[in-house]
Amino acid sequence: MKILIVCLGNICRSPMAEVILKQVVLEKKLPWTIESAGTNRYHKGGPADERAVRVCKKRGVDLSQHIARRFKTKDFDLYDLIYIMAPDVRDEMSEFVTDQKQWDKVKYFNDDRSQTVPDPWYGDESDFEACFSQIELLARKIADTL
Ligand code: 4NP
């Protein structure tokens, strides 16, 4: 199973989800490949947000090696499942979609009514802590139910 996790900038939510889900999958010995990308190009080639790196380190996962990359249409061929972090990511992704089969691969990382993992980018470190906790719960749920 090849999974891509997508947010807007690929510096906060999706790279945190990538390293957290990788850790969960390692513990459960699941043969999954997990990567991440962002719909915008603003942070392409750069590291994860330093607050995300710090919170991950505090909680036992390494985000220091992340290099942000932009989502591309070819990713629909390269991955079995694409998890998105919020409805606005879906809106941005529509620019890359050329047929319904591609939409069929797209799921919300948070599948409750809000369909949202809130963006901590405009917040402070406590928002990153909350984001980590939410992602960790959701990652465990995904690994248990997929
Ligand atoms: P992310 O947060 O989507 O969780 O990586 C954001 C980071 C940067 C921007 C938007 C969201 N930005 O527009 O620069």
Side-chain angles (χ1 to χ4, degrees):
M1 173 86 78
K2 284 200 73 175
I3 295 173
L4 185 68
I5 305 170
V6 182
C7 63
L8 298 175
N10 193 220
I11 57 166
C12 303
R13 293 165 293 175
S14 66
M16 287 170 81
E18 177 187 340
V19 291
I20 292 166
L21 186 58
K22 272 182 179 160
Q23 181 61 32
V24 171
V25 156
L26 193 70
E27 286 165 15
K28 293 178 79 80
K29 299 188 167 53
L30 297 168
W32 297 358
T33 304
I34 299 146
E35 283 160 4
S36 68
T39 52
N40 75 42
R41 64 168 71 81
Y42 307 135
H43 302 277
K44 191 178 153 187
D49 185 283
E50 59 182 26
R51 297 162 295 178
V53 177
R54 257 197 316 273
V55 167
C56 281
K57 188 176 180 190
K58 221 192 292 180
R59 307 278 287 261
V61 284
D62 181 21
L63 189 54
S64 66
Q65 301 305 306
H66 179 69
I67 297 169
R69 79 148 170 102
R70 193 178 190 205
F71 183 80
K72 51 187 188 300
T73 300
K74 182 114 179 56
D75 287 326
F76 286 115
D77 302 329
L78 302 178
Y79 296 90
D80 303 304
L81 252 181
I82 295 170
Y83 278 110
I84 57 174
M85 285 299 179
D88 59 351
V89 179
R90 194 175 199 279
D91 295 342
E92 296 296 318
M93 190 171 269
S94 55
E95 153 185 2
F96 302 91
V97 174
T98 54
D99 68 47
Q100 180 58 40
K101 280 218 303 257
Q102 296 169 331
W103 276 133
D104 292 344
K105 290 189 171 186
V106 178
K107 313 258 179 256
Y108 284 104
F109 197 79
N110 180 2
D111 68 354
D112 77 6
R113 268 187 26 215
S114 76
Q115 301 175 323
T116 299
V117 174
D119 190 353
W121 166 251
Y122 297 102
D124 59 24
E125 201 150 311
S126 70
D127 297 292
F128 283 80
E129 299 268 9
C131 186
F132 187 104
S133 299
Q134 184 188 13
I135 287 171
E136 190 174 35
L137 281 174
L138 293 169
R140 291 196 185 283
K141 187 173 161 197
I142 285 167
D144 286 343
T145 56
L146 205 63

